[in-house]
Amino acid sequence: GVAISTYAKYCYNKLQKAALTGAKKGLKKPNIEEIRHAKNAVFNPSMFGSSLQDIITMQKERYPDRQLPWVQTRLSEEVLALNGDQTEGIFRVPGDIDEVNALKLQVDQWKIPTGLEDPHVPASLLKLWYRELEEPLIPHDFYEQCISHYENPEAAIAVVHSLPRINKMVLCYLIRFLQVFVQPANVAVTKMDVNNLAMVMAPNCLRCQSDDPRIIFENTRKEMSFIRVLIQHLDTSFMEGVL
């Protein structure tokens, strides 16, 4: 009972995105569960691979007052609830792939299953969510500014405050979250200092569009430095209590 135009519009949008970003899984074939999930995505869009604005629109009915994506705050809270800030290798050690995929399917149904024990599982899924955003958390238009100001805290912070509002809020929430992990008492246990956190998180916030391996290599260092500067210097106190 669904108009063919509904499918056509959905497929057209997906094709446009694929033409811009390429195949997300490369040559890897999807599994049965992913195919089933994709068939339902016409009616229930995924929170993974969508734009921030689309995600906020998706949650409007359930969470009309939320300023931040539910998926972001809920997974972040889960990492801390499972003592991720006292877990060695947090954000570096991957969670079990089957558990991460199972959690992803649950999250897309607005559920966080009880009984999660390993903080690496929500941490891995949180990184995946940032990485799979339709447009990077720090949009392409701001990329050059970021890698130009990777050593200048004042200029780096100015870039953050010039971002579109939703991007700024989501990025500041992430940085505030990471600032928990760089407390010396936590680093002593996690072995994840500000340099390590910046290294694993930078690729989830910034995307180099060059195909030149030398430029990619050079920019990787600058991307890491930019995120490190934000963790060390960005005042995120205004995000306290914001959801």
Side-chain angles (χ1 to χ4, degrees):
V2 177
I4 290 175
S5 60
T6 305
Y7 292 96
K9 184 180 177 186
Y10 176 81
C11 292
Y12 177 69
N13 287 337
K14 292 291 280 184
L15 188 60
Q16 278 192 313
K17 288 173 191 173
L20 285 171
T21 60
K24 284 219 171 108
K25 292 172 73 76
L27 298 176
K28 192 179 170 191
K29 293 178 181 176
N31 62 36
I32 297 297
E33 189 60 45
E34 287 169 331
I35 292 170
R36 193 176 294 128
H37 192 64
K39 284 169 75 174
N40 291 331
V42 180
F43 313 104
N44 302 297
S46 174
M47 285 181 268
F48 295 83
S50 294
S51 70
L52 286 175
Q53 201 52 61
D54 285 348
I55 293 166
I56 294 294
T57 302
M58 276 178 224
Q59 68 183 36
K60 263 283 181 270
E61 204 171 298
R62 274 183 183 82
Y63 305 109
D65 300 323
R66 275 183 175 261
Q67 300 181 61
L68 292 162
W70 171 86
V71 57
Q72 178 194 25
T73 58
R74 195 63 194 79
L75 286 173
S76 301
E77 288 163 359
E78 196 64 24
V79 172
L80 294 176
L82 295 172
N83 297 315
D85 56 348
Q86 289 284 298
T87 301
E88 185 171 338
I90 193 69
F91 296 118
R92 178 180 56 77
V93 175
D96 177 82
I97 187 67
D98 293 328
E99 287 188 47
V100 173
N101 285 335
L103 180 59
K104 182 181 179 185
L105 292 171
Q106 291 277 299
V107 166
D108 254 338
Q109 296 167 50
W110 306 92
K111 297 175 194 164
I112 293 281
T114 53
L116 277 180
E117 294 176 0
D118 182 3
H120 295 303
V121 173
S124 293
L125 188 59
L126 185 61
K127 277 168 53 181
L128 180 74
W129 179 76
Y130 286 116
R131 189 165 66 250
E132 285 197 346
L133 282 171
E134 186 178 299
E135 189 178 30
L137 180 51
I138 299 175
H140 294 304
D141 290 350
F142 297 84
Y143 182 83
E144 290 300 327
Q145 292 179 55
C146 295
I147 60 167
S148 300
H149 301 311
Y150 68 96
E151 288 182 314
N152 182 337
E154 206 173 294
I157 289 165
V159 174
V160 173
H161 288 294
S162 69
L163 294 174
R165 185 175 185 277
I166 183 65
N167 298 75
K168 182 178 94 168
M169 296 285 285
V170 170
L171 177 61
C172 288
Y173 183 92
L174 169 60
I175 298 299
R176 185 171 178 80
F177 177 64
L178 296 177
Q179 286 168 343
V180 171
F181 293 85
V182 297
Q183 303 300 322
N186 291 334
V187 174
V189 182
T190 65
K191 309 292 192 285
M192 293 295 288
D193 63 13
V194 68
N195 294 309
N196 292 331
L197 285 170
M199 180 167 65
V200 296
M201 281 301 181
N204 304 315
C205 300
L206 290 152
R207 289 181 210 158
C208 179
Q209 290 186 290
S210 174
D211 293 325
D212 186 330
R214 288 170 304 172
I215 293 174
I216 294 169
F217 181 75
E218 180 63 26
N219 284 7
T220 297
R221 182 178 59 85
K222 295 176 181 177
E223 292 167 11
M224 282 165 41
S225 295
F226 181 80
I227 298 300
R228 184 180 67 232
V229 161
L230 294 187
I231 296 172
Q232 291 173 320
H233 298 283
L234 184 64
D235 178 3
T236 58
S237 57
F238 74 97
M239 292 298 294
E240 186 170 353
V242 175
L243 282 176

